[in-house]
Amino acid sequence: MSFSEALNPSLIKINLESTDKKGVIEEMATFMSEKYPFLEKNLILTSVLEREKQMSTGIITHVAIPHCRIHGIDGSFVCAGISKEGIDYGSLDSEPVYFVLLMAVSSKGSDIHLSLLKNISLLADIDEFLDEIIEAETSQQVYDTIVKYEQKIQ
């Protein structure tokens, strides 16, 4: 599955306000629960924070991919957030995070999130991709940038 299939502009939040890991995870969990009302904010938040205890999901330079498995849902649910200022995320490389991709997936073991992780890794290797994402002023511009660069990696 590609990002352009998993996302649409309404699932992209521009100008994240949080400046630290816990704050941005809470902000993104709130955003996700607003977009997917059947996903409870506190369940997303606690599940992601538990996952973060195992290892930081800030594993790609300037990108964080907080994710969790949730019992009782079917499918994979995604939303994205952009920080213009950078987030102190506790990333493995200690660099600030500007692009956050939150995923909640079924506990039944769907592999969709693995293809999304692969795609973001490939996209993040293209310097211009992150530059354009950070500079975007609207969620539509972010989405269009994702589509543009996905075509280059396929």
Side-chain angles (χ1 to χ4, degrees), residues 16-69:
L16 290 169
E17 297 173 12
S18 303
T19 58
D20 65 12
K21 179 191 240 180
K22 186 173 182 189
V24 79
I25 291 172
E26 184 168 359
E27 185 176 350
M28 291 297 295
T30 300
F31 183 66
M32 179 174 270
S33 67
E34 290 168 356
K35 298 301 176 181
Y36 301 106
F38 55 89
L39 293 174
E40 187 180 315
K41 173 193 164 188
N42 288 334
L43 180 58
I44 299 166
L45 180 61
T46 56
S47 298
V48 169
L49 291 175
E50 280 299 312
R51 168 62 186 84
E52 287 292 324
K53 287 179 183 176
Q54 296 172 18
M55 185 176 96
S56 175
T57 56
I59 56 175
I60 301 169
T61 301
H62 303 301
V63 178
I65 311 169
H67 57 281
C68 62
R69 292 190 180 273

Side-chain angles (χ1 to χ4, degrees), residues 85-111:
E85 306 301 319
I87 301 160
D88 180 8
Y89 198 84
S91 300
L92 298 180
D93 63 4
S94 301
E95 291 290 321
V97 163
Y98 297 94
F99 184 46
V100 179
L101 180 69
L102 176 62
M103 292 191 292
V105 301
S106 170
S107 61
K108 295 178 184 175
S110 168
D111 289 337

Side-chain angles (χ1 to χ4, degrees), residues 60-63 98-99 120 123-135 145 149:
I60 301 169
T61 301
H62 303 301
V63 178
Y98 297 94
F99 184 46
I120 189 59
L123 290 172
D125 281 342
I126 305 169
D127 293 332
E128 298 84 15
F129 170 74
L130 284 174
D131 292 342
E132 287 185 38
I133 291 288
I134 295 165
E135 292 171 12
T145 300
Y149 284 96

